[in-house]
Amino acid sequence: MPLTLATIDAELEAASKVGDPKADELVSDLIDNKEIDGVNALFRTIGTLKPGVDMSTLPPRLAAFLKEAAAPPPDWSEADTKAAESFFAHHHGEATMLQGTVGLIGTYLSPTGAFTLRSTGRLGGVDGPGRRLSQSSRLFLDMGNKNALRDGTLAANVTKVRLVHASVRQLHKKSGKWDYAKWGEPVSQKYTAGAACIFSTQILKAMDRLGIDVTKDDAKGFMCAWHYVNHYLGTPDKWLLPKDPDLVEALWDHERDKEWKKTDDGVFMTKQAVDFYKKFYPPGVHDAFIAMVRHALTDKYADMAGLPKSVLDAAAKPIAAGNDVISGIGGGFLGGSAKKATGVNPYKEIVGIASKGFNEVQKFALTQGEDDQPQMHQELGDSR
């Protein structure tokens, strides 16, 4: 039975102490027995996995794990698939961009999550944050691809992420530096549930604040998609996110301020992300983009993340009164695309432009399997 308001406190406390035993044992054995040569070789092997792959080419225990991991959620239905497909038919580009920006920054507001990400290697190694930011975003793009929920491609891609999480836990375990009594398990089931909330209900909140209309049916479809992803991340049924968007919103509202805090790690990660995105937008558009992200998060959480402020933050206020300054900002920086009209929200224009720019991040991600740059350090420490 998925999480409920009555059970969430006790269940998340228990979930904080649990990783993913089957995946953890697999990754540990593959590395310790030299079946795969280290973390980065494992990541590259994971990166080649696709539905229908010839299992005879894989280490036997990896093949056995993948066969078991391919089972669908026990309560999954054709109606769930159609609901998810409807959401992405209407909001694929917007949702992908917001998950890859607002959503990822939200995960940096979890102190344990930010520390975990930062301590297991720079966001992309020696060349900066591009690889891990863009590859994280790749999952969000894959969620809305045609037939992804039917042909096994999304399940396979999420299973890769599951094994990456297990690799992170192994790095921490081997380092001897992780404080299990204080922090629980690295990339615990609690962290996975929290991240799923951020990438689902927190994104629906962001879309609402930005004036993007999402029907109740489509909101449910998005939650169904994250219920599906949550399952393939290796989450036990009792800790899966419900498919009900109202219930997930209530669960996240109950937990968010317990989980989100300002930390040096979170601010560091956010700055790396913001600096990376600059290369994909002209200066004026980038300023409007950051103002949009601040508005989507709200000032309270944007300040926690260390997102910069500027005159463009004025555009984050309601526009019902027809603010000429806001219209001028939109018209000036966005090439005249924002209309100077009372009641028009220029964020709809910014979201559209940002979604197109975000396609460049995805192109960056698609090339990253072709080089030999380490995706993660073999041991903790990132020269910070």
Side-chain angles (χ1 to χ4, degrees):
M1 179 180 179
L3 293 167
T4 69
L5 277 171
T7 65
I8 187 169
D9 289 331
E11 292 295 346
L12 288 185
E13 175 62 26
S16 70
K17 299 177 175 63
V18 178
D20 184 348
K22 291 182 179 179
D24 293 343
E25 181 180 4
L26 168 71
V27 169
S28 178
D29 286 350
L30 288 175
I31 295 174
D32 291 348
N33 297 330
K34 307 298 183 184
E35 294 173 64
I36 290 182
D37 185 18
V39 172
N40 286 294
L42 175 60
F43 278 15
R44 290 198 173 81
T45 299
I46 294 169
T48 66
L49 301 179
K50 297 178 181 178
V53 66
D54 181 2
M55 295 289 187
S56 67
T57 65
L58 300 174
R61 68 189 72 207
L62 176 57
F65 173 87
L66 292 174
K67 288 178 181 178
E68 182 178 349
D75 58 349
W76 193 251
S77 69
E78 174 65 14
D80 295 333
T81 299
K82 288 182 176 179
E85 289 174 339
S86 175
F87 172 86
F88 289 114
H90 297 136
H91 301 293
H92 190 190
E94 301 159 345
T96 297
M97 183 273 294
L98 289 172
Q99 288 177 110
T101 53
V102 174
L104 284 177
I105 289 172
T107 65
Y108 306 155
L109 288 172
S110 163
T112 303
F115 172 80
T116 303
L117 285 166
R118 188 178 180 187
S119 63
T120 50
R122 292 183 293 274
L123 284 172
V126 295
D127 287 341
R131 178 197 301 276
R132 286 176 68 178
L133 278 168
S134 57
Q135 289 189 335
S136 296
S137 301
R138 180 69 192 278
L139 169 62
F140 311 137
L141 179 69
D142 290 344
M143 289 178 71
N145 284 345
K146 185 176 181 180
N147 294 324
L149 290 149
R150 298 178 183 275
D151 62 13
T153 54
L154 180 57
N157 288 336
V158 178
T159 301
K160 296 177 194 177
V161 177
R162 179 182 179 183
L163 291 174
V164 169
H165 288 174
S167 301
V168 170
R169 282 190 291 272
Q170 288 303 305
L171 282 177
H172 280 294
K173 182 178 180 180
K174 294 178 186 300
S175 76
K177 297 179 180 179
W178 185 266
D179 188 337
Y180 286 86
K182 177 181 179 181
W183 296 325
E185 191 74 15
V187 199
S188 68
Q189 291 295 342
K190 176 182 178 180
Y191 174 80
T192 301
C197 285
I198 293 167
F199 291 127
S200 58
T201 192
Q202 188 67 37
I203 296 305
L204 290 175
K205 287 175 177 287
M207 295 173 81
D208 182 61
R209 285 184 60 78
L210 295 171
I212 301 169
D213 297 323
V214 179
T215 67
K216 289 185 177 181
D217 287 344
D218 278 351
K220 181 176 181 180
F222 194 38
M223 290 313 312
C224 285
W226 271 100
H227 179 89
Y228 181 96
V229 169
N230 206 185
H231 165 79
Y232 282 107
L233 285 171
T235 299
D237 294 346
K238 65 180 178 179
W239 293 328
L240 287 177
L241 286 190
K243 301 174 189 175
D244 180 346
D246 292 333
L247 177 54
V248 177
E249 181 177 9
L251 292 171
W252 183 231
D253 286 346
H254 179 76
E255 288 296 315
R256 181 176 46 239
D257 284 347
K258 300 177 187 177
E259 300 302 322
W260 277 8
K261 310 291 179 187
K262 184 171 186 176
T263 64
D264 290 343
D265 288 324
V267 170
F268 174 88
M269 298 285 286
T270 298
K271 184 178 186 304
Q272 277 209 325
V274 169
D275 289 347
F276 172 68
Y277 291 135
K278 282 182 180 178
K279 70 178 68 176
F280 297 103
Y281 301 104
V285 173
H286 179 263
D287 291 341
F289 169 74
I290 295 303
M292 179 270 291
V293 175
R294 283 193 62 90
H295 184 47
L297 277 170
T298 74
D299 286 342
K300 175 180 177 179
Y301 300 120
D303 288 345
M304 284 185 185
L307 279 169
K309 295 181 180 180
S310 75
V311 66
L312 295 181
D313 293 331
K317 309 305 177 187
I319 309 172
N323 190 315
D324 290 337
V325 173
I326 295 169
S327 297
I329 289 171
F333 282 120
L334 301 180
S337 61
K339 299 176 182 177
K340 295 183 179 181
T342 301
V344 172
N345 187 344
Y347 278 107
K348 288 189 177 181
E349 305 292 342
I350 297 169
V351 167
I353 293 170
S355 297
K356 291 178 182 178
F358 206 72
N359 288 337
E360 297 303 313
V361 180
Q362 301 307 326
K363 290 177 184 177
F364 185 92
L366 292 173
T367 65
Q368 292 311 297
E370 300 172 5
D371 61 46
D372 59 0
Q373 180 184 332
Q375 296 187 13
M376 182 181 290
H377 297 313
Q378 289 289 125
E379 57 188 29
L380 293 187
D382 64 344
S383 303
R384 52 179 161 160

